[in-house]
Amino acid sequence: MLLTKAEIEARTITEDGQVFLQKAAQDGLETVWDRYQAQKPQCGFCELGLSCRNCSMGPCRIDPFGEGPQRGVCGADADIIVARNLGRMIAAGAASHSDHGRDLVEVLRKVGEGHAPGYTIRSEEKLKKVAAEFGIAADGKTPADLAVELAHAMEEEFGTRKKALTFLGRVPEKRRAIWDKLGITPRGIDRETSEMMHRTHMGVDNDWQSLLLHGLRNALSDGWGGSFIATEVSDILFGIPQPVPSEVNLGVLKENQVNIVLHGHNPIVSEMIYEAAQDPELLALASEKGAEGINLAGLCCTGNELLMRRGIPMAGNHLMTELALSTGLVDMMIVDYQCIMPALGEIATCYHTLMISTSDKAKFPHMAHHEFHPETAQSKARELVRMAVENYERRLPAKVLPAPNTPTRMMAGFSVEAILGALGGSPAPLIEAIKSGAVQGAVGVVGCNNPKIRQDFGHVTLTRHLIENDILVVDTGCAAVAHAKAGLKVPEAAALAGPGLQQVCKSLGIPPVLHMGSCVDNVRILDLAAALANALGTDISDLPLAAAAPEWYSEKAVSIACYAVASGIFTVLGTPPPIFGSPKIVKLLTEDIEGLLGASFAVEPDPEKAAARIEQHIRQKRKALGL
Ligand code: CUV
Ligand code: SF4
């Protein structure tokens, strides 16, 4: 059934999204928006966090109106149930990022042992730097030896033998003291997640406050542990991102080239595909088949990883993953894990697209499984690229619709190293710009798309307001892709910023919205915030900073938001988390926690109001600093 113009415009603000929503409808596809409609009304108990199925005496639910049951079969009340549910969301998010980190550590070790042909150490500089942080001396050792030693040391971070994670060495002392006082210093990465699952079992932790505190510790084990390892090891293996031009939207899929779309999160698979796509033999085969080349495009965070390091264009963000297939131009989609809708395989059966899953822990309906392992990834990648090239001639012309709009230009690659490089090697010029008021503050706008929110509207509206008010925006994940589609990531976008920020961007030749990477790369924002605080001898919570996740959907985003607040960064969520069944928990997280951590959460679905809240917060922080 075709959609009306109003229906389409209510779903997305993007030009390509609007075109391909209709194309998908024409082709008879059911998309994430249709399935969301079909789910309505969604369960009110679950929305409030008031349902529990942690054991088989249940499932139970608490009546929010106070008329029905106020306790589960075990006796748990609303506060306990909401806290347990939130805790399990954090645990799932932390586990996802951290398992991704562990997979990278495995590759690092195998590279050192010589068991991962095709992978190498691209940044010896970062290898040495991180090894030193782990107390491993570099002298006289080959990079391979160092890689093995560092990998072993990182494996220890996951376990139970530590009092505190190693990367806490980068955290300002004042912050460390707060965590120690509250008893939320993260010890082992897996330990905190495992302990969360234990605490939330029936009959363990039944104090909603101590459950929430452990939730913060669990989230910190992600931010300063699992995700931190993921980002640093990715840089060691694949290189530290540097500013790079690229393009975004479905227009990056080429009619006359073999299109391979990479979707998921971990660069382990996508980097190997990138290598294989340069293979002269495969390029010759492509031309034999009548294609002018092999075109790679990214979706979601594995796309962001390739974009940051190789300038590979982005086809889109989370809600574009199904629509990308409806172009009929995708010869192969290769996925690893996380945020890959299980609907994708079936949608692809409408086209010639080959759907490939690659991880032993992530299988999907209607996908061919080609498992990647470090030992064989190189040959596997070549095999897949060959299959994609051979699939080019099977396109179904009647189903093909190239995007009518040209790709939007963007600039990405703003690692902390690149930002400091642009500033001449130290954070001093940025601190000066903040002191002078040219830059009022900085905000991380991050996170997903969610069909509950008009696609990209939350991100783009918020960010436009912030830069207009001289607030520098740094971004990651699907938010970053939204901003890129809206044209906010080119140096010329400085014209959209307030006079101070405009001046700073122009003098450095940078956009007012800096792409810092994938979701695990939110730790780059933490790292930069910590570096600024350390340079000033203060705490992160004293700085004029904030974070926002206007369209978040995933459990990973919950973990990210919690480690941001625990690290001292005020964080605004666009979609409400399932906590409103407990007024006590809402009050703690949005008000009282400020007194403990110097930061709190806010929930504000209206991006204009969110911008106003953030601007007010930044003014307050500036005032407290005497600026
Ligand atoms: Ni990890 S977690 S939808 S791809 S940002 Fe995108 Fe980013 Fe959320 Fe997923
Ligand atoms: Fe019900 Fe308690 Fe079991 Fe949850 S843990 S399902 S509230 S009995």
Side-chain angles (χ1 to χ4, degrees):
M1 224 173 45
L2 292 190
L3 299 159
T4 65
K5 189 159 183 278
E7 279 169 329
I8 287 177
E9 285 175 359
R11 291 180 173 191
T12 180
I13 64 165
T14 63
E15 204 183 329
D16 57 345
Q18 294 181 0
V19 169
F20 287 97
L21 266 167
Q22 197 63 287
K23 169 68 162 53
Q26 266 163 17
D27 290 353
L29 302 184
E30 183 190 69
T31 66
V32 57
W33 287 277
D34 303 319
R35 295 188 299 270
Y36 171 56
Q37 284 304 322
Q39 283 293 336
K40 285 209 280 199
Q42 290 178 311
C43 172
F45 296 99
C46 294
E47 274 176 347
L48 295 171
L50 287 175
S51 50
C52 179
R53 48 176 178 74
N54 287 11
C55 88
S56 183
M57 296 190 286
C60 304
R61 54 194 194 181
I62 305 298
D63 180 4
F65 304 109
E67 287 156 14
Q70 294 302 297
R71 289 181 188 280
V73 176
C74 66
D77 61 13
D79 304 320
I80 295 171
I81 290 177
V82 169
R84 283 197 305 216
N85 289 340
L86 183 66
R88 287 199 168 192
M89 287 185 91
I90 295 168
S96 304
H97 284 147
S98 302
D99 206 36
H100 164 162
R102 182 188 352 257
D103 286 339
L104 282 152
V105 173
E106 185 196 2
V107 175
L108 180 67
R109 178 168 49 78
K110 291 194 173 163
V111 166
E113 291 167 351
H115 293 145
Y119 295 103
T120 162
I121 307 289
R122 288 270 175 85
S123 177
E124 275 183 44
E125 173 199 345
K126 188 157 261 193
L127 174 65
K128 285 189 192 142
K129 178 186 172 204
V130 175
E133 282 181 275
F134 278 78
I136 304 167
D139 35 289
K141 288 177 198 155
T142 63
D145 293 342
L146 211 50
V148 174
E149 255 190 85
L150 177 59
H152 284 312
M154 283 178 161
E155 282 160 2
E156 293 275 307
E157 297 281 297
F158 287 86
T160 58
R161 292 182 46 185
K162 302 216 148 188
K163 282 207 177 76
L165 299 177
T166 302
F167 283 119
L168 298 198
R170 296 197 200 178
V171 177
E173 263 171 50
K174 287 183 182 164
R175 185 69 9 198
R176 288 290 308 272
I178 291 174
W179 294 346
D180 284 341
K181 186 158 163 251
L182 289 173
I184 59 170
T185 298
R187 302 156 298 179
I189 297 166
D190 291 345
R191 176 176 186 173
E192 308 308 357
T193 293
S194 186
E195 185 173 315
M196 179 59 87
M197 298 311 286
H198 178 197
R199 283 179 186 240
T200 53
H201 186 280
M202 160 26 212
V204 185
D205 196 353
N206 289 292
D207 176 319
W208 59 272
Q209 284 156 307
S210 83
L211 277 166
L212 293 179
L213 282 173
H214 182 67
L216 296 174
R217 175 160 56 181
N218 195 174
L220 287 170
S221 81
D222 171 359
W224 294 95
S227 284
F228 221 103
I229 285 178
T231 290
E232 294 295 67
V233 175
S234 294
D235 283 358
I236 292 170
L237 291 172
F238 307 118
I240 301 172
Q242 290 297 327
V244 61
S246 191
E247 293 181 333
V248 63
N249 78 34
L250 289 183
V252 307
L253 300 174
K254 302 270 185 288
E255 248 190 303
N256 50 8
Q257 294 194 29
V258 177
N259 291 308
I260 302 178
V261 173
L262 295 141
H263 179 15
H265 281 77
N266 204 318
I268 293 173
V269 172
S270 48
E271 281 280 343
M272 253 331 151
I273 299 290
Y274 171 80
E275 290 290 322
Q278 327 284 319
D279 186 331
E281 198 189 310
L282 292 169
L283 287 165
L285 181 67
S287 111
E288 214 174 281
K289 300 279 172 194
E292 282 173 27
I294 302 174
N295 180 42
L296 302 185
L299 283 171
C300 286
C301 283
T302 208
N304 279 321
E305 298 273 353
L306 278 179
L307 165 69
M308 290 286 286
R309 297 194 181 85
R310 316 272 170 245
I312 292 297
M314 287 296 290
N317 46 5
H318 180 50
L319 289 188
M320 297 308 285
T321 57
E322 294 173 310
L323 299 186
L325 294 173
S326 76
T327 59
L329 287 173
V330 180
D331 299 302
M332 178 177 277
M333 182 182 282
I334 302 173
V335 309
D336 50 82
Y337 43 52
Q338 300 169 16
C339 302
I340 296 147
M341 287 191 251
L344 283 171
E346 193 175 340
I347 287 181
T349 61
C350 186
Y351 306 94
H352 78 300
T353 308
L354 292 173
M355 298 295 292
I356 309 290
S357 55
T358 56
S359 164
D360 56 349
K361 47 197 156 201
K363 297 188 177 176
F364 300 84
H366 300 282
M367 291 200 195
H369 192 63
H370 289 260
E371 212 160 286
F372 268 63
H373 294 283
E375 294 80 357
T376 53
Q378 192 174 39
S379 54
K380 196 82 210 164
R382 293 205 175 130
E383 182 190 329
L384 290 181
V385 172
R386 178 179 294 277
M387 283 164 59
V389 170
E390 283 167 353
N391 199 33
Y392 174 72
E393 54 193 9
R394 293 191 206 106
R395 279 193 197 162
L396 307 169
K399 292 268 180 77
V400 167
L401 179 68
N405 52 336
T406 49
T408 306
R409 287 184 304 116
M410 67 155 135
M411 199 172 174
F414 291 96
S415 58
V416 175
E417 290 83 348
I419 292 174
L420 294 181
L423 295 168
S426 94
L430 181 57
I431 291 171
E432 275 319 304
I434 291 174
K435 280 188 178 160
S436 78
V439 175
Q440 291 285 309
V443 176
V445 180
V446 308
C448 327
N449 288 142
N450 184 325
K452 293 178 176 174
I453 292 178
R454 193 178 173 206
Q455 188 202 9
D456 290 1
F457 177 76
H459 299 305
V460 173
T461 311
L462 172 64
T463 293
R464 279 183 186 274
H465 275 280
L466 295 174
I467 61 173
E468 270 166 23
N469 285 284
D470 288 323
I471 295 167
L472 176 72
V473 171
V474 294
D475 60 8
T476 59
C478 290
V481 181
H483 297 147
K485 282 186 272 180
L488 301 175
K489 285 185 180 297
V490 282
E492 302 90 287
L496 302 170
L501 179 59
Q502 192 169 130
Q503 186 57 43
V504 170
C505 289
K506 281 187 177 155
S507 70
L508 297 171
I510 58 170
V513 181
L514 301 180
H515 198 324
M516 293 191 76
S518 62
C519 295
V520 293
D521 290 338
N522 280 315
V523 307
R524 297 191 199 273
I525 303 179
L526 282 185
D527 198 16
L528 184 60
L532 290 176
N534 285 332
L536 289 163
T538 176
D539 190 358
I540 297 173
S541 59
D542 297 326
L543 304 175
L545 304 178
E551 306 179 26
W552 74 275
Y553 94 89
S554 89
E555 292 165 319
K556 291 176 288 172
V558 178
S559 177
I560 293 167
C562 290
Y563 73 61
V565 169
S567 298
I569 302 174
F570 171 61
T571 299
V572 184
L573 303 175
T575 21
I579 59 170
F580 286 87
S582 167
K584 283 186 201 150
I585 289 176
V586 172
K587 182 166 177 296
L588 179 81
L589 295 179
T590 59
E591 294 172 28
D592 305 345
I593 203 175
E594 173 80 37
L596 299 173
L597 290 167
S600 64
F601 290 93
V603 178
E604 181 48 72
D606 178 339
E608 299 201 12
K609 289 187 187 149
R613 284 288 293 274
I614 289 172
E615 284 151 21
Q616 182 200 16
H617 168 82
I618 283 180
R619 276 195 300 274
Q620 275 170 5
K621 290 290 171 191
R622 293 185 63 86
K623 204 166 153 217
L625 286 168
L627 299 175

